[in-house]
């Protein structure tokens, strides 16, 4: 695989990667073959492509430094590590790589946004919430996007899931939100764990990340996290890129 565009062993190699920088347990290097997209079988040593890119990056090659950053950002050939990805993007930017400079600029802008009063945790808002038409969310644990969902004045956290057909929740969450799901239409819903009994009801108003939509269909019966599905998302523009998801009307 050639050096990647902007879109994307042992202790000696770890020290070689980030001299003087300690890596947490979540950033311990594990190496994989190019076709091992699910990281199922760790290699005893870096794949030759990773080793070659490491050497070129260490020698100051900006394009190689950027490629190494992408490897760490996406988990290609090596386990993901945001800290190391950022390090190599900044190294590449200092070496004059324009694509790395763009990444660093975007990253720093998001950092400033996240530290501002319009953000709380991973959730960012802007302007008057009642009039807000755009919401941006930073990627969370496991590569997922979570958003605050407000129904009947009560806010809970939901997982944005374009594979879910509706805004789905457990009976416990529905009771907490004051949803009269018992009067809804009874049926069966297909989930990753098989078919389950569910109730379907239209909620007069749902707010996700400051964006409010009327008359949203909700399914009640799943277990676990609330899923923000297409009964809400399908009425918005959804864009995912560079570690952020944007919803807009």
């Amino acid at each position: 695989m050639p050096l990647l565009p902007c879109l994307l062993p042992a202790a000696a190699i770890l020290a070689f990667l980030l001299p003087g920088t300690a890596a947490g347990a979540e950033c311990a290097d594990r190496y994989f073959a190019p076709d091992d997209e699910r990281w199922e079988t760790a290699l005893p040593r870096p794949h030759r492509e990773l080793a070659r890119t490491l050497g070129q990056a260490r020698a100051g090659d900006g394009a190689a430094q950027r490629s190494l950053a992408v490897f760490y950002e996406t988990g290609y050939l090596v386990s993901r590590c945001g800290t190391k990805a950022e390090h190599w993007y900044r190294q590449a930017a200092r070496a004059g790589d324009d694509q790395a400079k763009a990444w660093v600029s975007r990253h720093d802008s998001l950092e400033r946004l996240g530290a501002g009063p319009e953000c709380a945790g991973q959730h960012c808002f802007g302007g008057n919430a009642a009039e807000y038409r755009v919401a941006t969310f930073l990627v969370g644990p496991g590569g997922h996007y979570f958003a605050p969902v407000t129904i009947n004045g009560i806010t809970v956290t939901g997982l944005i899931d374009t594979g879910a057909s509706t805004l789905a929740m457990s009976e416990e969450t529905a009771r907490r939100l004051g949803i009269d799901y018992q009067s809804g239409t009874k049926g069966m819903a297909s989930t990753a764990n098989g078919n389950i009994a569910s109730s379907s009801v239209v909620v007069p108003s749902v707010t996700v990340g400051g964006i409010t939509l009327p008359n949203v269909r909700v399914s009640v019966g799943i277990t676990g996290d609330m899923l923000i599905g297409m009964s809400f998302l399908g009425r918005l523009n959804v864009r995912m890129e560079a570690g952020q998801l944007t919803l807009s009307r």
Side-chain angles (χ1 to χ4, degrees):
M1 179 177 177
L3 295 178
L4 295 179
C6 61
L7 288 178
L8 302 146
I13 288 187
L14 181 59
F16 167 75
L17 282 173
L18 285 176
T21 301
E26 71 279 7
C27 280
D29 285 344
R30 299 178 67 228
Y31 313 110
F32 304 95
D35 58 353
D36 189 357
E37 298 178 353
R38 296 188 178 185
W39 311 292
E40 295 175 332
T41 305
L43 301 177
R45 61 184 60 85
H47 183 271
R48 61 181 179 275
E49 182 181 349
L50 175 59
R52 181 177 65 251
T53 305
L54 282 170
Q56 294 171 339
R58 179 59 174 160
D61 186 307
Q65 290 168 341
R66 187 231 311 149
S67 287
L68 187 57
V70 175
F71 290 173
Y72 276 114
E73 186 176 38
T74 62
Y76 177 70
L77 301 178
V78 67
S79 49
R80 288 177 176 170
C81 178
T83 302
K84 294 178 182 178
E86 180 182 350
H87 169 83
W88 286 111
Y89 272 124
R90 293 190 183 280
Q91 289 289 96
R94 283 192 286 268
D97 186 272
D98 289 338
Q99 295 171 3
K101 289 179 181 178
W103 187 96
V104 169
S105 175
R106 182 172 61 244
H107 175 274
D108 290 350
S109 294
L110 287 172
E111 286 288 302
R112 289 191 294 271
L113 174 67
E118 67 271 32
C119 289
Q122 295 165 340
H123 311 311
C124 299
F125 314 94
N128 186 328
E131 301 174 355
Y132 197 44
R133 303 178 68 85
V134 179
T136 298
F137 307 95
L138 306 184
V139 67
H144 300 300
Y145 294 89
F146 295 89
V149 181
T150 302
I151 297 174
N152 294 329
I154 300 172
T155 301
V156 298
T157 298
L159 170 66
I160 295 177
D161 184 358
T162 56
S165 58
T166 65
L167 195 155
M169 67 187 70
S170 66
E171 293 183 357
E172 179 183 3
T173 299
R175 287 192 293 270
R176 179 181 173 188
L177 296 175
I179 296 175
D180 181 17
Y181 65 92
Q182 297 286 8
S183 63
T185 303
K186 303 298 188 291
M188 301 295 293
S190 178
T191 71
N193 297 319
N195 293 329
I196 61 170
S198 69
S199 296
S200 177
V201 61
V202 175
V203 173
S205 178
V206 174
T207 300
V208 174
I211 298 178
T212 300
L213 296 179
N215 303 322
V216 177
R217 183 162 295 279
V218 169
S219 296
V220 178
I222 67 168
T223 58
D225 292 330
M226 173 190 289
L227 302 179
I228 305 170
M230 296 307 291
S231 61
F232 189 92
L233 300 177
R235 295 160 63 180
L236 302 172
N237 296 314
V238 182
R239 187 175 73 253
M240 285 185 285
E241 59 181 2
Q244 63 178 324
L245 181 146
T246 301
L247 303 179
S248 59
R249 298 183 69 173

